[in-house]
Amino acid sequence: MSTDELEYDVIVVGAGNAAACAAISARNNGASVLILEAAPEAERGGNSTYTAGAMRYTFDGVDDVLSLVPDVDADTLALTDFGSYTVDQFFDDMFRVTQYRTDPVLCELLVRNSLPTLQWMRKQGVRFQTSHGRQAYKVNGRFQFWGGLSVEVWGGGPGLVDMLLSSAERKGVQILYETAAVSLIKDNDGVHGVHVSHRGRERDLYCRAVVLACGGFESNAEMRARYLGPNWDLAKVRGTRFNTGGGIKMALDVGAMACGHWSGAHAVGWDQNAPTFGDLAVGDAFQKHSYPFGIMINARGERFVDEGADFRNYTYAKYGSAILAQPGQFAWQVFDSKVIPMLRDEYRIRQITKVSSDTLEGLVDQMEGVDRDGFLRTIAEFNAAVKKDVPFNPNIKDGRAAEGVAPRKSNWANTIDAGPFEAYAVTCGVTFTFGGVKIGPDGQVHDTADQPIPGLFAAGEMVGGLFFHNYPGGTGLTSGAVFGKIAGEGAAAAAAVNKSRSAA
C-alpha cells in the first residue's frame, strides 16, 4: 500500500452501495476520493452484494418506471399494470411499519429523493430491470404489480456493486482492499483522517472529510447479544462477515450520538441449515418468503404469527425475530399442492431443508423437532377456520381469512388439505441492525450535544433513526443510495472549505 503519505479530499470507509454512491457523489463534486474496503476484492461490497437488488421509490405511473428501465419489451409493457406508488404511500408505509417512530426529517429526505436518486444512479451506469418475476402476478392475462416495488438492479446485489465501483474507478476513485479502518484521526477542529490496518500493518491516512458507510453490527455475535438480546448470537447472518460494527464504534469513540433502534434489526426466515454467514454462490436464495400462502409451525406444532397480516414486503423483515423467539429458534413453513406452484424461486435451490409427503401424517413425521399431535390438531383447526367463500387473490389483501384461531390469518388463507405437501425448515437470518449514529440533513454526523462533528459524515446502515421494529422491503438499498449521495456531496463541500482555509 503506497498511499500512506498521500492526502485525499474524502476517504470513504466501506465499498457497498451507500459507500460507492458517496464516493461517486463526492468525486462528481470535485473531490479526490479514496475507498477503504476491509474485505478482499472477491468479497467486496458489504451486504449490498448479497441483496436481490429491489429498490423502493415513488412513481406516479409507467413514465416514471420507464425513466429507469427504458428498454422494457413492448409486448410485456402492453400486458402490465404497474400502478403507482405515491409519495404519500411511501410516507404511510414508513410510518406504519416503524410504528410512527421513523425520524420525520430523514424520512422526508428518503421519500422525496428516492426517484431522483435512482435516476442519478442510472446516469452513473447502474442498469435497472422491472421486477416482474418477484413483484407481479398474472391475473386474467395481465401482470399486476403489488407491494410498492416495480424495479430491481440488473444482476442483483453483485451487479449493483460491480456497476457502482466500476463507475467510481472510471471517475478516478481509488480503492484499497483488505484495509480496515481502525479509528478516526480527530482533533479540536474535527476529523482529519483514518487509522487503518492492512494485513496486520497499521498506518494513518489523512484527508479533509470522512464518510463512514461500512455497515452495522449484524456480523458481530457479541454485539448482537449485547444490544438485540438473548439468542441473537445464534442467528444466521444473511450477508457479509465484515460488518462487525467497527464504523459505529469509531464514530462513538469520537463523540457521535447514538441514534435509532439499537435493539432492533432486519431479520427474515432463512434456511435452518444455511452457513453462519452469507454464501455468494447462493446469494439471497436461502430466504423463504412465500409464507403468506401457507402457515408457519413451531416445535409445539403451533402457529405463532399472522402469515397474511400484510404483503410479504411489509412483514418479512420482522418475522425472523419471531422465529428466533420460538423453542429451538426454528420453524417449518407448510404448503399444499394448491399453492406449491406459486412458491418463489428460492424454494427450488439445491441447498435447502425440505420434506414432502402425500399425507400430513407422513409430512410431520419428517419435520424434525415438531410435536406430531400438536401439528395435526393445528392443521385441523386452521382448515376449519378458513373463509372458503372469499376468493383467493394474491395481488391484493383479499380478506380470505382464517378466523376463530389464534393467531388469526388475515389474508390468503388456504386450507392445507390437498397433497402432496411440502415443508421447509427456517431459522432467523439477520440482515442489518437498526441502531446507528445521528446525522443531519447534509449527512454530517452529530455529537452527543447534537452538534455536527466537522469532517465526519455517515450513510447506509450506519445511519440511525430511519427504521424501528420493521421496514418496507426494498428501502435499505434506496436509503443507502439516497444518504450516500447526500453524504458524498456534504463531504466534498466540507473538503472544499477545508482546502480553501489551508490555502489562506
Side-chain angles (χ1 to χ4, degrees):
M1 185 168 63
S2 60
T3 57
D4 49 316
E5 300 302 326
L6 298 180
E7 184 176 87
Y8 293 85
D9 291 326
V10 175
I11 290 178
V12 178
V13 182
N17 168 56
C21 286
I24 292 170
S25 176
R27 185 72 186 124
N28 286 351
N29 283 274
S32 59
V33 181
L34 174 68
I35 287 176
L36 303 178
E37 170 62 296
E41 187 169 359
E43 296 181 72
R44 70 182 185 176
N47 276 345
S48 302
T49 307
Y50 294 84
T51 66
M55 298 188 71
R56 184 172 293 268
Y57 68 102
T58 61
F59 59 98
D60 291 328
V62 66
D63 288 343
D64 286 339
V65 177
L66 291 177
S67 74
L68 300 175
V69 195
D71 53 351
V72 180
D73 175 75
D75 292 337
T76 301
L77 190 62
L79 295 174
T80 301
D81 295 326
F82 285 103
S84 63
Y85 186 65
T86 65
V87 167
D88 286 344
Q89 286 175 305
F90 201 163
F91 277 128
D92 287 346
D93 283 342
M94 281 293 294
F95 281 99
R96 175 173 55 87
V97 304
T98 64
Q99 300 178 25
Y100 299 91
R101 290 181 180 272
T102 187
D103 182 284
V105 174
L106 296 184
C107 185
E108 180 148 6
L109 285 169
L110 169 65
V111 171
R112 297 198 183 279
N113 284 287
S114 58
L115 175 60
T117 298
L118 267 67
Q119 291 169 332
W120 173 83
M121 292 174 75
R122 184 172 179 272
K123 291 178 182 178
Q124 310 310 311
V126 175
R127 184 180 178 189
F128 296 95
Q129 63 185 12
T130 57
S131 295
H132 276 80
R134 291 176 177 266
Q135 295 294 149
Y137 292 109
K138 202 170 189 179
V139 177
N140 297 325
R142 296 188 64 79
F143 290 103
Q144 296 182 359
F145 275 78
W146 55 272
L149 295 174
S150 63
V151 305
E152 59 194 50
V153 178
W154 185 275
L160 174 63
V161 170
D162 287 347
M163 288 183 282
L164 284 174
L165 292 182
S166 293
S167 175
E169 289 182 304
R170 286 194 302 271
K171 294 173 182 289
V173 174
Q174 290 186 265
I175 305 174
L176 293 180
Y177 295 102
E178 299 179 73
T179 307
V182 177
S183 60
L184 295 168
I185 300 169
K186 180 182 178 293
D187 61 18
N188 291 333
D189 295 320
V191 172
H192 305 289
V194 183
H195 184 71
V196 305
S197 175
H198 174 73
R199 297 180 180 176
R201 298 180 64 86
E202 297 190 7
R203 64 200 67 193
D204 292 334
L205 298 176
Y206 294 95
C207 61
R208 296 181 174 88
V210 172
V211 179
L212 295 174
C214 49
F217 57 85
E218 58 273 3
S219 302
N220 187 323
E222 186 272 336
M223 289 186 73
R224 292 200 309 270
R226 189 194 327 168
Y227 293 112
L228 303 183
N231 289 329
W232 276 95
D233 48 336
L234 303 179
K236 308 282 188 179
V237 178
R238 293 182 65 194
T240 179
R241 59 192 172 98
F242 290 95
N243 284 10
T244 57
I248 294 175
K249 183 178 184 299
M250 283 187 289
L252 296 179
D253 285 347
V254 297
M257 179 186 292
C259 181
H261 190 189
W262 275 72
S263 59
H266 177 307
V268 309
W270 196 245
D271 190 273
Q272 185 179 24
N273 292 310
T276 303
F277 296 101
D279 182 343
L280 285 174
V282 178
D284 70 337
F286 285 121
Q287 65 190 6
K288 298 292 170 282
H289 289 168
S290 290
Y291 58 83
F293 302 146
I295 60 173
M296 282 199 283
I297 295 290
N298 65 15
R300 293 187 291 265
E302 299 170 346
R303 292 175 55 245
F304 55 94
V305 295
D306 179 351
E307 302 91 346
D310 205 332
F311 286 117
R312 185 258 321 166
N313 293 347
Y314 303 114
T315 59
Y316 79 106
K318 68 177 182 178
Y319 279 178
S321 60
I323 294 169
L324 191 74
Q326 301 311 303
Q329 296 80 52
F330 72 89
W332 286 85
Q333 297 179 1
V334 182
F335 308 95
D336 80 354
S337 61
K338 295 191 295 294
V339 300
I340 286 171
M342 298 180 64
L343 299 185
R344 288 158 54 98
D345 289 346
E346 67 241 21
Y347 287 82
R348 300 176 183 90
I349 65 171
R350 180 175 58 84
Q351 307 92 331
I352 202 162
T353 308
K354 168 188 173 183
V355 297
S356 59
S357 177
D358 290 332
T359 67
L360 287 167
E361 291 81 4
L363 188 75
V364 69
D365 286 343
Q366 300 175 73
M367 293 166 60
E368 187 175 348
V370 174
D371 180 84
R372 188 179 196 272
D373 292 340
F375 172 81
L376 294 174
R377 182 171 56 252
T378 294
I379 293 290
E381 292 172 352
F382 179 82
N383 286 346
V386 173
K387 295 176 65 175
K388 303 176 185 65
D389 58 325
V390 178
F392 171 72
N393 186 342
N395 285 298
I396 61 172
K397 289 192 277 189
D398 60 6
R400 184 181 168 95
E403 296 184 328
V405 291
R408 177 181 189 268
K409 183 171 182 180
S410 301
N411 298 284
W412 311 298
N414 287 294
T415 54
I416 312 251
D417 57 7
F421 305 93
E422 293 180 355
Y424 298 80
V426 292
T427 185
C428 174
V430 60
T431 311
F432 66 89
T433 47
F434 291 159
V437 298
K438 182 171 184 180
I439 63 168
D442 60 352
Q444 195 165 11
V445 176
H446 284 213
D447 64 18
T448 54
D450 206 12
Q451 297 300 307
I453 299 176
L456 185 61
F457 297 79
E461 296 173 11
M462 288 279 308
V463 174
L466 269 175
F467 306 125
F468 294 79
H469 304 291
N470 192 9
Y471 104 135
T475 313
L477 286 179
T478 303
S479 168
V482 166
F483 290 102
K485 181 175 181 290
I486 289 172
E489 292 168 352
V497 170
N498 288 343
K499 187 182 293 186
S500 64
R501 286 175 180 168
S502 299

